Amino acid sequence: MADILLVDDDPLIIKLYQLILASPEFSLTVAVNGVEMLQSVENKKPDIILLDVVLPDTSGLDLCTRIKSDPRFEGTKIILVSGQEISPVQIAEGIEMGADDYLVKPFHPKELLARVKSCVKLQKTEEALREKNRELKNLYNHLQNLREKERKILAQEVQEELGQITAVLKMDIDWLALRMVDAPRENRERIRKASTTTKQIIDQIRSIATDLRPSMLDELGLYASLESYCRKIKNKHGIDCIFEHDDKEDTLSVEVSTAVFRICQEALLNVTQHASASAVQVRVQIQGKILRLSIKDNGIGFDVVNQTDVLGLVSMRERALSVNGQLQIESVIGNGTIVTLHIPLS
């Protein structure tokens, strides 16, 4: 059953609506002015609003804008009704304000019924699409959580198994070096190189484990992990990577912390591979109930509109959506790139 709100100060028009729409398919509610309409939609979200353009206390166009800009009423369809012939300019204005259809008084009963049924059908189709999108989002989040758990397990295995074995190997090589001080110089040099190579392997194992899932993210939180990762970028690539954050306590959920870290990781990977930048600034701020991450580099920039290699950007946007965030990428060729992420915190 579709809930329809009838908004008109003319009792004859209301009565006509009720006669035409008298059907088990529809549940009808009446409002005679803007105040009553707003009270009614607050009490119960309607599926369709038949809204007179001219009301005694306000404009129907203003009410249309107000309802359509409120996310609580997503999916509510509005049919604007006018007692005067609507010009193409007025029709365009109404549609720009969010109206889904329009009707001119006097109208034929079949026309009214057809437009209402069309809106009901569209509303149901859109709701089905929203539900499918919610299911896809939940599936994406589930897969991401599984992936993070797998990466965490793999990182622990790499660190604990390979890391420990290699550490023992280096200890044995160093033990040999201490007891072969009288060995030929060539042998001692070989042992020294083996020790150095083993140390490099240990460092590489730690780096791989950190890229898979930094234990610091679970133990010390987001800020410490980002600071460590920026330091790694600076040491490995020679890019002056600076991390800044506000003084608020880092008490974010695991989901938000992981999403922010992965987005930053992907963005910094792009900087090292494509930006030719000498400096990049990473900043995290929590303002009220909004977390803001910004990553700004001084590299060569790129054409955001015509970018063809979009897999990294798509991944970042999907990560943002998984925590109800919004990702914005601004870039000018020759003038660097700014990646901005906003996440609402519950």
Side-chain angles (χ1 to χ4, degrees), residues 127-141:
E127 181 56 38
L129 287 173
R130 281 192 290 272
E131 180 60 29
K132 290 298 181 183
N133 284 334
R134 284 191 288 268
E135 291 176 2
L136 288 173
K137 180 180 177 181
N138 291 336
L139 176 60
Y140 176 84
N141 291 343

Side-chain angles (χ1 to χ4, degrees), residues 217-254:
L217 189 60
D218 300 308
E219 297 168 2
L220 300 179
L222 176 65
Y223 292 172
S225 301
L226 287 178
E227 185 173 12
S228 175
Y229 195 77
C230 287
R231 188 162 54 247
K232 175 183 174 181
I233 293 294
K234 183 174 183 178
N235 294 336
K236 185 175 181 179
H237 299 280
I239 299 173
D240 189 15
C241 188
I242 300 173
F243 173 64
E244 299 176 346
H245 63 85
D246 56 25
D247 295 328
K248 294 190 177 181
E249 186 180 357
D250 180 10
T251 54
L252 303 171
S253 68
V254 174

Side-chain angles (χ1 to χ4, degrees), residues 54-163:
V54 180
L55 293 170
D57 58 345
T58 188
S59 163
L61 293 177
D62 291 340
L63 290 171
C64 176
T65 302
R66 184 167 176 176
I67 294 298
K68 287 295 187 176
S69 62
D70 192 328
R72 295 178 300 166
F73 304 117
E74 181 184 21
T76 294
K77 301 300 175 187
I78 297 179
I79 302 176
L80 291 176
V81 184
S82 173
Q84 302 172 350
E85 186 175 353
I86 303 177
S87 69
V89 174
Q90 291 171 314
I91 292 172
E93 183 181 2
I95 292 174
E96 287 175 357
M97 291 182 176
D100 299 281
D101 207 341
Y102 67 92
L103 197 60
V104 180
K105 304 175 189 176
F107 47 79
H108 194 281
K110 287 187 177 180
E111 181 185 10
L112 170 64
L113 197 57
R115 292 185 184 277
V116 168
K117 286 185 175 181
S118 176
C119 282
V120 170
K121 184 178 180 180
L122 180 60
Q123 198 264 349
K124 289 181 178 179
T125 301
E126 289 179 352
E127 181 56 38
L129 287 173
R130 281 192 290 272
E131 180 60 29
K132 290 298 181 183
N133 284 334
R134 284 191 288 268
E135 291 176 2
L136 288 173
K137 180 180 177 181
N138 291 336
L139 176 60
Y140 176 84
N141 291 343
H142 176 66
L143 293 175
Q144 285 293 350
N145 289 335
L146 286 178
R147 185 184 180 192
E148 288 296 335
K149 289 179 181 178
E150 290 172 352
R151 293 177 71 144
K152 182 177 180 179
I153 293 171
L154 184 57
Q156 290 174 343
E157 291 178 349
V158 167
Q159 185 75 17
E160 293 174 5
E161 298 296 330
L162 292 180

Side-chain angles (χ1 to χ4, degrees), residues 11-21 107 109 112:
L12 294 178
I13 294 296
I14 292 294
K15 185 65 175 177
L16 184 59
Y17 283 152
Q18 292 172 331
L19 288 173
I20 297 172
L21 300 175
F107 47 79
L112 170 64

Side-chain angles (χ1 to χ4, degrees), residues 297 299-305 329-338:
D297 69 66
I300 59 176
F302 66 98
D303 186 348
V304 177
V305 176
I329 300 174
E330 303 171 75
S331 186
V332 177
I333 295 178
N335 200 29
T337 301
I338 302 175

Side-chain angles (χ1 to χ4, degrees), residues 5 7 30-41 43 57:
L5 177 58
V7 186
V30 175
V32 299
N33 54 47
V35 173
E36 286 190 11
M37 171 189 158
L38 294 175
Q39 289 174 345
S40 180
V41 297
N43 293 333
D57 58 345

